Amino acid sequence: MKSFVYHVPTKVYFGEGQLCHLGEELKQCGKKVLLSYGGGSIKKSGLYDLLLEEMKKANLEVFELAGIEPNPRIESVREGARLCKQHDIDVVLAVGGGSTIDAAKFIAAGACTDDDPWDFFVAGAPIDKALPLITVLTLSATGSEMDSCGVISNMETNDKLARYSDHVFPKVSFLDPTLTYTVNEYQTACGSADILSHIFEVYFNMNKDLYMLDTVMEGLMRTVIKYAPIALREPENYEARANLMWASSWAINGFINGGKQQAWSCHPMEHVLSAYYDITHGLGLAILTPRWMKYCLDETRVSKFYQFGVNVFGIDASLEPLEVAERAIEELSTFFFRTLGLKSRLSEVGIDDTHFEQMSQKACKGGVLAGFKPLGKEDIKKIFERCL
Ligand code: NZQ
Ligand code: ZN
């Protein structure tokens, strides 16, 4: 167990009706707000009107950036940063899922520099400061509401890249589970797969960790496995939506890392799938994960899969470890593809092997993904092939 620093500066308002505090929180940051949102779900649900009313009550001046794409594009980030500079914006308000929040993070940073925001991702441009960011989460999935990361796509170069900076942590996040009642079955399923994957990336790791954190992670996994099907059947079930929402934040806000060296596997592979084919992040992860697990399963790693099978899926602990491990991977596949109803193969979502060579190269940046099992280009290509 290594020493570590844990610091998440995000203030969270959790629960129904908390948006009454939005005006006061924004006002503490200034007068001019850039309201950024996606393709219109917030208008359909009535949330947009509610937000404008709250901001009017607080005498705030509101500017807007609409249309942030799922798998947000660098062009939207550039436009947002330009608007911030043009109108001398004091605070960015992101309302939506991970895509809107991720874009807002680099809009807030881009507003404070003359660098092109894409240079944050490809040229190591420094992020020395950012405008304050306040978020209203409408989809439980990425945990962007409580982390220092964002992922932005450049479809011209087929790149989807992550950048971390303490300056882009949301200052305040509003997590009202009732705002996720309108999320459809597909996005609920994809979001749940994403939450699980964030936990897997840390749990399946050769670094020694705290027993306490393993049990927390197993509890988070069981939470998603229990409540995602309920949210699918009953979209307005508060308990289910609330459990998924709080699990999404705690899966990625650094708490479960506990000083473990972070080396993720499925995420870099998924990000190249999205970069080439613009697919939904959680769907790509669901397709990749069981194949990646099977690829990793060997004598040195079987004990972790055994632990996962017994503690998460309740598989009989007296069975042979390999049998438990294989059953656990089967249980997970059943959960993704039957219970959540996600497509199980890349070929079903229009992906063939045309770009596998370049995609594999990009996923490991020409080197090795040093995760649970180190994966070079040829390993990644084999995993993609097994997903076809
Ligand atoms: O754009 P609108 O109209 O709002 O519709 C969105 C979008 O079409 C819709 N939606 C969101 N809230 C809704 C709703 N529809 C009805 N009712 C609501 N309440 O859902 C669709 C998907 O939204 P999006 O924001 O793209 O989904 P998600 O939250 O899954 O975000 C995915 C992005 O986050 C990145 C992913 O790679 C992807 O680009 N990630 C960010 C991470 C981070 N910041 O730490 C980590 C993750 O691993 C991930 O990579
Ligand atoms: Zn993810």
Side-chain angles (χ1 to χ4, degrees), residues 331-344:
E331 290 272 3
L332 183 68
S333 301
T334 305
F335 178 73
F336 283 150
F337 309 130
R338 296 229 188 106
T339 312
L340 298 186
L342 290 168
K343 298 226 160 78
S344 65

Side-chain angles (χ1 to χ4, degrees), residues 39-41 97-99 102 138 142 147 149 160 179 182 198 267 271 281:
S41 72
S99 295
D102 281 6
T138 66
T142 65
D147 77 9
C149 173
K160 178 173 178 180
L179 299 180
T182 53
H198 296 155
H267 271 70
H271 285 165
H281 176 60

Side-chain angles (χ1 to χ4, degrees), residues 141-142 151 193-195 197-198 201 252 264 267 270-271 281-282 285:
T142 65
V151 191
D194 191 22
I195 301 170
S197 179
H198 296 155
E201 298 278 21
I252 205 174
W264 289 24
H267 271 70
E270 195 297 309
H271 285 165
H281 176 60
L285 290 170

Side-chain angles (χ1 to χ4, degrees), residues 211-273:
Y211 171 81
M212 170 258 189
L213 289 177
D214 262 10
T215 59
V216 169
M217 285 188 260
E218 287 156 4
L220 284 169
M221 291 183 229
R222 287 201 301 271
T223 301
V224 178
I225 290 165
K226 175 181 164 78
Y227 284 108
I230 299 175
L232 290 187
R233 280 197 308 275
E234 303 165 36
E236 301 198 4
N237 183 313
Y238 184 86
E239 186 182 323
R241 293 297 195 181
N243 272 279
L244 290 174
M245 188 169 245
W246 204 213
S248 84
S249 305
W250 284 87
I252 205 174
N253 71 8
F255 175 75
I256 61 173
N257 300 355
K260 245 187 190 184
Q261 191 194 337
Q262 291 297 297
W264 289 24
S265 305
C266 287
H267 271 70
M269 290 191 273
E270 195 297 309
H271 285 165
V272 290
L273 284 179

